[in-house]
């Protein structure tokens, strides 16, 4: 087996840049948007906003997200080393694989961020929020850590979705208002299922290395063909649900429009899967990018739409939260544009030998 090819410029060994590469800070946009998503749903339902609880929630989200990254880098090292076809979004940061930092740095950082999360949990106001936070951290830790190693037993995709896009916004809403609205439950269910579908794509990109080390993800259990059919079905059912709820008056029209506007990202991923994208490095990188971006695009669009809905009703959200939400959206839009342009400028890579099995006619087109 030929060694993995580099997916981008690496930092110098033992430097701060190497540590930032290990932390994979670009993914923190996901937890930032999830936090804003949950807070906005709470503001939409209650009309109130607490800045201190927002800051605590964001700190908890980031510490837990970083903990998961460090933990995964350490416990997934064998699978990352065996992965012949990493992308910019899958296969780990490559920091440990390339010897830029010692694995013990990653494990120690995982414990430091775990303790930070525990400290923030202790400051939460109710037994329900503290219990939810502890459960969230435990599932995030055992995503790859023994003895559970959930992502090694076809439970990783569901666990990741439940932690980041299920429990995350629920915790944010509970810390703001202490209650959950029907709208929050639907919107959370929507992004949860989208995250399961996204995780299937990410694990599809890593399927070769995972199989070599006996890592059984749901993606490897399904295989590329069934995974593609499941992805198509999931996208179709979710957006049909948006239409049905909007027609029934259960989902504000502006929110439904915002959620439907994100459907093209999923259609792009589906088309790419069906035309052999995962057999080519650059196209596979594009697939994992847009599969990842569908989630923050959906949460960001929903946030803005919820704020617009409040204004249309004549009861605008509190000004501090509008400022934070708009600022967060602008920062994310800038980052997304910059990242997409950088991806377009990236030199074309050659086809990946021994890539995942062809999907839906891939053999003819690859």
């Amino acid at each position: 087996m030929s060694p993995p090819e580099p997916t981008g410029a690496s930092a110098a060994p033992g430097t701060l840049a190497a540590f930032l590469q290990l932390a994979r800070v670009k993914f923190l946009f996901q937890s930032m948007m999830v936090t804003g998503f949950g807070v906005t749903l709470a503001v939409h339902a209650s009309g109130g906003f607490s800045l201190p609880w927002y800051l605590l929630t964001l700190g908890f989200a980031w510490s837990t997200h970083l903990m998961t990254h460090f933990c995964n880098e350490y416990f997934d090292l064998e699978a990352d080393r065996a992965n012949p076809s990493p992308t910019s979004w899958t296969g780990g940061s490559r920091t440990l694989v390339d010897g830029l930092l010692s694995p013990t740095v990653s494990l120690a950082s995982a414990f430091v961020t775990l303790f930070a999360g525990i400290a923030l949990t202790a400051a939460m106001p109710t037994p329900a929020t503290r219990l939810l936070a502890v459960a969230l951290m435990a599932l995030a830790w055992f995503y790859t850590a023994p003895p559970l190693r959930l992502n090694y037993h076809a439970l990783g995709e569901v666990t990741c979705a439940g932690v980041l896009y299920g429990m995350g916004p629920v915790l944010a809403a509970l810390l703001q208002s202490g209650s959950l609205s029907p709208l929050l439950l639907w919107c959370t269910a929507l992004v949860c299922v989208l995250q399961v579908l996204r995780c299937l794509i990410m694990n599809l990109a890593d399927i070769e290395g995972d199989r070599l080390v006996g890592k059984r993800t749901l993606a490897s259990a399904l295989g590329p063909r069934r995974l593609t059919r499941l992805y198509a079905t999931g996208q179709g059912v979710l957006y049909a649900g948006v239409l049905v709820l909007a027609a029934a008056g259960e989902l504000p029209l502006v929110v439904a429009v915002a959620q439907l506007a994100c459907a093209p990202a999923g259609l792009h991923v589906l088309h790419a899967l069906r035309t052999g994208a995962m057999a080519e490095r650059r196209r596979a990188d594009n697939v994992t990018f847009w599969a990842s971006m569908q989630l923050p695009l959906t949460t960001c669009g929903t946030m803005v739409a919820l704020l617009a809905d409040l204004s249309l009703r004549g009861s605008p959200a509190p000004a501090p939260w509008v400022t934070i939400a708009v600022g967060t959206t602008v920062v994310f839009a800038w980052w997304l544009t910059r990242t997409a342009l950088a991806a377009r400028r990236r030199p074309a890579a050659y086809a990946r030998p021994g890539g995942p099995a062809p999907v839906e006619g891939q053999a003819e087109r690859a």
Side-chain angles (χ1 to χ4, degrees):
M1 180 182 67
S2 59
E5 297 155 20
T7 57
S10 291
T15 61
L16 175 61
F19 183 78
L20 293 176
Q21 181 177 313
L22 176 74
R24 308 195 83 187
V25 293
K26 63 186 178 184
F27 285 108
L28 296 184
F29 278 102
Q30 301 260 17
S31 47
M32 178 181 70
M33 299 310 299
V34 164
T35 300
F37 180 70
V39 171
T40 304
L41 284 161
V43 170
H44 187 272
S46 69
F49 168 66
S50 167
L51 179 61
W53 287 126
Y54 166 71
L55 294 175
L56 184 142
T57 309
L58 183 61
F60 175 81
W62 276 348
S63 63
T64 304
H65 205 158
L66 285 170
M67 177 202 77
T68 307
H69 287 172
F70 294 133
C71 196
N72 290 351
E73 291 283 326
Y74 181 81
F75 291 109
D76 257 350
L77 181 55
E78 184 182 2
D80 290 342
R81 282 175 173 157
N83 190 343
S85 51
T87 72
S88 299
W89 297 86
T90 63
S93 70
R94 318 308 291 175
T95 309
L96 303 185
V97 172
D98 294 341
L100 303 181
L101 291 171
S102 165
T104 56
V105 172
S106 192
L107 184 61
S109 300
F111 276 109
V112 169
T113 46
L114 170 64
F115 297 147
I118 291 172
L120 291 168
T121 298
M124 292 180 186
T126 65
T129 53
R130 292 192 291 270
L131 182 61
L132 182 59
V134 168
L136 191 157
M137 285 190 293
L139 288 171
W141 182 271
F142 290 115
Y143 178 73
T144 50
L148 299 183
R149 309 200 82 181
L150 296 165
N151 200 33
Y152 283 67
H153 298 92
L155 294 171
E157 291 90 345
V158 174
T159 300
C160 182
V163 166
L164 184 57
Y165 282 95
M167 301 166 82
V170 167
L171 179 63
L174 286 176
L175 286 170
Q176 283 294 319
S177 65
S179 61
L180 305 176
S181 67
L183 182 59
L184 180 141
L185 296 177
W186 159 251
C187 290
T188 300
L190 170 70
V191 294
C192 254
V193 176
L194 285 176
Q195 174 70 347
V196 171
L197 298 175
R198 176 247 176 189
C199 287
L200 287 171
I201 301 301
M202 308 304 271
N203 281 340
L204 176 62
D206 291 342
I207 199 168
E208 296 169 78
D210 290 347
R211 285 174 170 171
L212 286 172
V213 299
K215 181 178 178 181
R216 184 174 173 79
T217 63
L218 183 56
S220 63
L222 288 170
R225 291 182 183 277
R226 285 189 294 176
L227 186 154
T228 301
R229 288 195 290 269
L230 178 60
Y231 188 87
T233 301
Q235 294 278 337
V237 169
L238 283 176
Y239 289 113
V242 172
L243 290 172
V244 169
L245 288 173
E250 298 296 326
L251 188 65
L253 181 60
V254 65
V255 175
V257 169
Q259 292 176 350
L260 290 169
C262 300
L267 291 173
H268 171 74
V269 171
L270 181 60
H271 173 73
L273 289 174
R274 287 177 166 169
T275 55
M278 301 307 285
E280 302 172 34
R281 173 69 56 77
R282 184 172 182 176
R283 293 186 68 201
D285 204 75
N286 180 269
V287 171
T288 54
F289 171 75
W290 284 110
S292 293
M293 288 306 101
Q294 187 179 17
L295 273 299
L297 282 171
T298 301
T299 53
C300 184
T302 301
M303 278 174 53
V304 172
L306 287 166
L307 295 176
D309 184 60
L310 285 174
S311 294
L312 291 172
R313 292 186 192 181
S315 54
W321 178 242
V322 173
T323 302
I324 292 171
V326 170
T328 298
T329 302
V330 169
V331 169
F332 170 68
W334 167 80
W335 176 85
L336 176 63
T337 302
R338 181 173 175 270
T339 304
L341 290 174
R344 289 175 66 95
R345 291 193 298 267
R346 193 175 298 135
Y350 25 87
R352 294 159 50 188
V359 178
E360 302 292 344
Q362 176 174 317
E364 306 92 82
R365 299 182 177 91

